[in-house]
Amino acid sequence: MAHWKTHAPQRFQNLDDPTRFFTDLGQEAQGQISELARQIETTPASVLAKTASSEQTYLQDVARRMTALRIAEEVVMQQLAWVSDPSLPLDEAREEWEQTRPSDENLVTWAERMQDAPDLMPSTVDLEQKAKDWAVPTWFLEGLVEAEIPRQYLEEHQSLLAEAATIRFLREVR
């Protein structure tokens, strides 16, 4: 609520019942965070899932779960709570952004290039930067390169790409 009062005062003023709105928003965020954290923990290609083993210590398990939770919190809060007043209405700004944003097909092209020339595979730091730029987890990019058919892999992860597009859009309207 404090964030909206500061960064989106007009939107805050337009709320009929701010207490109810933010209570509902908090419950929605909590549910989405829990679900996304669970997905991150259990995604087979996830680095977090790879570290889970029967030999894992209690503290390692807690650290893995907390990392998944923090990632989920960042993604969900970016989508639901951290807003500002854009010069265009949000839906119009999103429509304009969708028309000019880089296509997800660029990721397919990149992955196919990496498959054709594995020695071009970026360093861990570069891969993490690409993941950050595209707002996707590094495991997604690694899985894309490892996939037999990158385009099919992309299609199988459309919900993740949709979330990533929303995150990138919100970065730009800030």
Side-chain angles (χ1 to χ4, degrees), residues 112-131:
E112 289 171 344
R113 243 189 1 250
M114 296 303 106
Q115 288 177 338
D116 291 342
D119 55 312
L120 294 178
M121 189 68 179
S123 68
T124 302
V125 171
D126 292 337
L127 189 63
E128 288 173 353
Q129 184 59 49
K130 186 169 195 69

